[in-house]
Amino acid sequence: MGRIYDATWGRLFSAVYDRAIAATEDAGLRDVRRELLSEARGRTVEIGAGTGANLALYPATASHLVLVEPDRHMRRRLEPRAQAAAPAVEVVDAPAESLPFEDSEFDTAVFTLALCTVPDPDAALAEAARVLKPGGRLLFLEHVRSENPRLARWQDRLEHLWCLFADGCHCNRDTVAAIDASGFSLERVDHGALPKAAPLVRPLVWGSAAPAS
């Protein structure tokens, strides 16, 4: 029953995801995405690309784009959008924790609203560091554990229920600390709030990091 529930809910979740987050995108999230992605350069890999919310926001400086998405339901929506976007966009079916790329293959790696969902974020970050060239950059935008102790306690209490509802999304991950501990050197971290979102996932961070030398 659990597997049937997971498969059914995953299909439904991916079907309604774009509509569910549309108000949040329109209220400012898309602008934050665009500003962050303006820093993408060269060969770029987006890990956990979902349905392709970032596709239209990449600058021309991202000369070749590889979108990694392991969820087949999300990928079903991502692939036609990628094909329509540009011939230089490639979609890859792979988990974030085991990327099918050579070492030092990319100039830029991107996570947006993805590290909350990957089963092993430490392994995913290690893989991102591995595939980045020396001098490459990680760009990230994630909802995170609140710095407000009261809200953080509620995130801990409701994390399991939220994870079931949001198809594997964890609302209480300290993603900045994970990036800092994973072989990256943080360059910039901006803090804000995910607009028109549930309080559990409202704390938002975005910024950049470089692989530690």
Side-chain angles (χ1 to χ4, degrees):
M1 179 64 73
R3 290 183 180 177
I4 295 173
Y5 170 82
D6 290 345
T8 301
W9 182 240
R11 184 169 62 252
L12 290 172
F13 184 83
S14 65
V16 303
Y17 179 79
D18 290 334
R19 281 174 288 173
I21 202 171
T24 294
E25 296 283 2
D26 293 343
L29 178 59
R30 188 180 299 108
D31 293 334
V32 178
R33 290 183 189 267
R34 182 180 289 106
E35 178 184 356
L36 177 71
L37 296 173
S38 70
E39 303 177 36
R41 298 289 184 274
R43 188 168 169 84
T44 298
V45 59
E46 181 179 341
I47 305 166
T51 62
N54 291 330
L55 261 173
L57 307 178
Y58 279 100
T61 51
S63 56
H64 185 93
L65 186 58
V66 178
L67 306 177
V68 177
E69 178 50 57
D71 186 287
R72 69 183 187 278
H73 305 301
M74 291 287 189
R75 204 168 55 251
R76 191 173 296 128
R77 287 160 174 76
L78 172 64
E79 287 172 341
R81 293 175 180 177
Q83 290 170 5
V89 178
E90 178 184 357
V91 177
V92 175
D93 173 11
E97 299 89 343
S98 183
L99 298 175
F101 309 121
E102 300 294 329
D103 294 356
S104 304
E105 189 171 334
F106 294 94
D107 301 286
T108 308
V110 176
F111 287 104
T112 65
L113 304 184
L115 286 168
C116 57
T117 303
V118 296
D120 188 341
D122 293 334
L125 286 163
E127 278 290 88
R130 179 185 67 79
V131 303
L132 277 173
K133 297 175 181 178
R137 300 180 78 207
L138 173 72
L139 304 178
F140 60 90
L141 186 159
E142 299 287 340
H143 68 79
V144 294
R145 183 180 184 84
S146 177
E147 294 180 347
N148 181 308
R150 185 171 181 271
L151 179 53
R153 286 193 296 271
W154 277 108
Q155 288 175 315
D156 290 339
R157 290 170 185 149
L158 297 176
E159 187 241 359
H160 181 67
L161 287 174
W162 181 264
C163 194
L164 289 174
F165 167 75
D167 199 31
C169 171
H170 298 263
C171 60
N172 62 347
R173 286 182 171 172
D174 189 347
T175 299
V176 173
I179 294 171
D180 195 33
S182 67
F184 283 97
S185 176
L186 288 165
E187 297 177 329
R188 186 187 86 255
V189 181
D190 294 319
H191 296 260
L194 198 61
K196 294 187 179 296
L200 290 179
V201 293
R202 198 167 292 159
L204 189 70
V205 298
W206 63 94
S208 62
S213 55

